[in-house]
C-alpha cells in the first residue's frame, strides 16, 4: 500500500502529499477499528516503524530507503552538475534557471516538504539518511587525500613559502596546470579544479543534510519543546570531551554542533590502516593548503556569477564555506591535537594572501569583478567557523573589498530588473 502511494511517475511523491495520503489511510483504518475487532492503529504503527529502516520485515525497500536513494542519486547529483542551486536565503534547493528540469527541486526541499519528510521518517529514519550522506562526504575526503598525496612535495613547499610571491607563483602554476589523458590526449581537469569540485560536492551534501536536521529540530520543537530544551541545556553545559558522547543524542533531535561527530566517525572508518597518525595529520594540513591555493581558481569558472538576492552562485560555490568549516572541525577532532583554531587561521592566511596576490596581478577592472564571488566566500567562511572572527579577517584581508563587491553585485542585480 505504502509503495503504491509513494511512487507517482518517474519521481516519488512529494513528502507533504505522501504524509497527507497516509493520514487519510490512518483515518479510514481508525474508523474500521471502531467497527471490527482489529487493532488497526497498532498494525499501522508497526508498519510505519518499519518504514524508518532501510528494509522492512519482508526485505522490501521502505520510505526511508526510497527517499534516501532519490535525494542522493537524483537531487544531489543534479546539484553537483549545477542544475540545482542551494539558496541559504530561502533555505531550500532551487532550480537553476539556465537548465531544463524534469521536476521542481524546491517542491521537495523547502521547509514544508522537509518537515513532512521528517514526520514520515522519524528521527531514526533521518539518522539513516544522514549517515548515507556522510558516508559519501567521507568518500570525497578520501579522494581529496589522494590528490594531496600526488602533489605532496609542492604543497609542503607552499605551506612554508606563502610570504614569497615568486616562489608561490611557480608552485601555484605547477598545481594548476591542466593535464592530458595519455591515450586520448584529451585535456583533463587540473588538480586545483578537481579539489574545488570535490569540496563543493561536500558542501552541497552537508548543506542539504543541515536543512534536513533543521527541519527535524523544528518538528521536535513544536511537539516536544521541554525535551528539546533539556537536550540543549545538557549540550551547552557539557565540556568539549563530553560532547562527543552526546553526539548520538544531539543528532536524534537535529542539533547541529560545531564538530560534526558523524563525519568524524565516518572518516575514522575510512582511514587507511597502513597510514600512520603523523602522516594522516600532515595530509589533513596539506589538504587545507590545497583548498586555500585553489580558491582563486573560482574566477576562471564561467558559472561563478552570483545572485545576491538568493545568496547563490551558478556553480554552488556558496557551499564551500560549509565544507571547509566542517572539514576543519572534523579532521582535527579526529587527530585529537586540539589545534583546529591554528589550522583555520593558517587556512585564512593562505587563502587571503593567494586571493590578494592574484587580484594584484590583474589590471583589467572587468577581470577584477570576477573576484567578487571569492570575497563572499571568505566572508561566509568567517561567519561559519567558530575559530575565526572579523577582527582576524581584517588583519589579513581588507573588508572594503567585500563591501565593494556587495555594492557592485547589488547594482548589477538592480540594473537587470530595471530598478
Amino acid at each position: 500500500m505504502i509503495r503504491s502511494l509513494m511512487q507517482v511517475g518517474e519521481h516519488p511523491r512529494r513528502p507533504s502529499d505522501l504524509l497527507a495520503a497516509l493520514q487519510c489511510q490512518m483515518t479510514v483504518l481508525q474508523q474500521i477499528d471502531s467497527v471490527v475487532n482489529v487493532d488497526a492503529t497498532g498494525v499501522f504503527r508497526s508498519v510505519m516503524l518499519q518504514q524508518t529502516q532501510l528494509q522492512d520485515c519482508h526485505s522490501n525497500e521502505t520510505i526511508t530507503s526510497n527517499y534516501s536513494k532519490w535525494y542522493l542519486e537524483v537531487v544531489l547529483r543534479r546539484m553537483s552538475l549545477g542544475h540545482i542551486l542551494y539558496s541559504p536565503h530561502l533555505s531550500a534547493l532551487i532550480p537553476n534557471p539556465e537548465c531544463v528540469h524534469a521536476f521542481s527541486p524546491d517542491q521537495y526541499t523547502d521547509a514544508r516538504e522537509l518537515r513532512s519528510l521528517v514526520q514520515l521518517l522519524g528521527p531514526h529514519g533521518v539518522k539513516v539518511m544522514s549517515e548515507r550522506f556522510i558516508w559519501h562526504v567521507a568518500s570525497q575526503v578520501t579522494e581529496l587525500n589522494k590528490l594531496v598525496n600526488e602533489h605532496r612535495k609542492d604543497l609542503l613547499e607552499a605551506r612554508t613559502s606563502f610570504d614569497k610571491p615568486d616562489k608561490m607563483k611557480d608552485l601555484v602554476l605547477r598545481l594548476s596546470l591542466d593535464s592530458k589523458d595519455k591515450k586520448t590526449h584529451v585535456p583533463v581537469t587540473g588538480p586545483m579544479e578537481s579539489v574545488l569540485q570535490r569540496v563543493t560536492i561536500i558542501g552541497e551534501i552537508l548543506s542539504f543534510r543541515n536543512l534536513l536536521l533543521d527541519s527535524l529540530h523544528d518538528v521536535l520543537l513544536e511537539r516536544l519543546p521541554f525535551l528539546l530544551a533539556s537536550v540543549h541545556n545538557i549540550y551547552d553545559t557539557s565540556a568539549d570531551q563530553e560532547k562527543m558522547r552526546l553526539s548520538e543524542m544531539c543528532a536524534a533531535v537535529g542539533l547541529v554542533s560545531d564538530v560534526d561527530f558523524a563525519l568524524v566517525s565516518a572518516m575514522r572508518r575510512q582511514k587507511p590502516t597502513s597510514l600512520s597518525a603523523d602522516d594522516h595529520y600532515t595530509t589533513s594540513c596539506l589538504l587545507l593548503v590545497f583548498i586555500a591555493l585553489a580558491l582563486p581558481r573560482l574566477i576562471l569558472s564561467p558559472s561563478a556569477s552570483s545572485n545576491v538576492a538568493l545568496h547563490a552562485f551558478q556553480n554552488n560555490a556558496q557551499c564551500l564555506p560549509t565544507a571547509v568549516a566542517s572539514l576543519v572541525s572534523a579532521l582535527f577532532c579526529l587527530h585529537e591535537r586540539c589545534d583546529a583554531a591554528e589550522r583555520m587561521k593558517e587556512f585564512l592566511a593562505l587563502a587571503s594572501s593567494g586571493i590578494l596576490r592574484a587580484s594584484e596581478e590583474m589590471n583589467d577592472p572587468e577581470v577584477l569583478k570576477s573576484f567578487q564571488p571569492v570575497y563572499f566566500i571568505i566572508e561566509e567562511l568567517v561567519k561559519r567557523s567558530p575559530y575565526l572572527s572579523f577582527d582576524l579577517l581584517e588583519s589579513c584581508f581588507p573588508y572594503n573589498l567585500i563591501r565593494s563587491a556587495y555594492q557592485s553585485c547589488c547594482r548589477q542585480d538592480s540594473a537587470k530588473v530595471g530598478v
Side-chain angles (χ1 to χ4, degrees), residues 209-230:
R209 196 280 306 261
N210 290 343
L211 288 179
L212 188 63
L213 292 181
D214 289 343
S215 298
L216 173 61
H217 188 274
D218 292 341
V219 171
L220 292 178
L221 185 62
E222 180 182 352
R223 296 191 173 190
L224 302 169
F226 299 107
L227 176 62
L228 205 60
S230 300

Side-chain angles (χ1 to χ4, degrees), residues 26-43:
M26 185 63 190
T27 302
V28 173
L29 289 175
Q30 286 175 336
Q31 292 176 352
I32 295 175
D33 193 9
S34 63
V35 179
V36 182
N37 188 20
V38 176
D39 186 11
T41 303
V43 172

Side-chain angles (χ1 to χ4, degrees), residues 191-211:
M192 283 191 172
E193 283 74 12
S194 297
V195 167
L196 286 176
Q197 184 181 20
R198 292 191 180 278
V199 176
T200 302
I201 290 173
I202 290 173
E204 291 166 350
I205 296 175
L206 291 177
S207 296
F208 179 72
R209 196 280 306 261
N210 290 343
L211 288 179

Side-chain angles (χ1 to χ4, degrees), residues 311-337:
H311 204 174
F313 300 94
Q314 296 294 326
N315 58 358
N316 277 318
Q318 71 275 9
C319 298
L320 283 170
T322 299
V324 173
S326 299
L327 285 177
V328 170
S329 299
L331 281 171
F332 296 101
C333 175
L334 175 64
H335 297 304
E336 298 180 349
R337 301 207 182 188

Side-chain angles (χ1 to χ4, degrees), residues 228-248:
L228 205 60
S230 300
V231 174
H232 276 279
N233 288 335
I234 293 172
Y235 181 81
D236 293 338
T237 56
S238 299
D240 292 339
Q241 295 81 3
E242 297 294 327
K243 287 182 178 179
M244 181 171 287
R245 300 179 183 178
L246 302 174
S247 59
E248 290 289 336

Side-chain angles (χ1 to χ4, degrees), residues 78-85 94-97 99-101 105 316:
R78 295 189 182 188
M79 193 177 178
S80 66
L81 297 174
H83 298 172
I84 297 175
L85 308 179
I94 59 176
N96 188 336
C99 302
V100 179
H101 301 275
N316 277 318

Side-chain angles (χ1 to χ4, degrees), residues 46-47 49-51 53-62:
S46 175
V47 171
L49 282 175
Q50 293 181 41
Q51 296 302 309
Q53 312 292 326
L54 287 176
Q55 290 183 334
D56 60 14
C57 60
H58 301 291
S59 299
N60 294 323
E61 290 189 339
T62 61

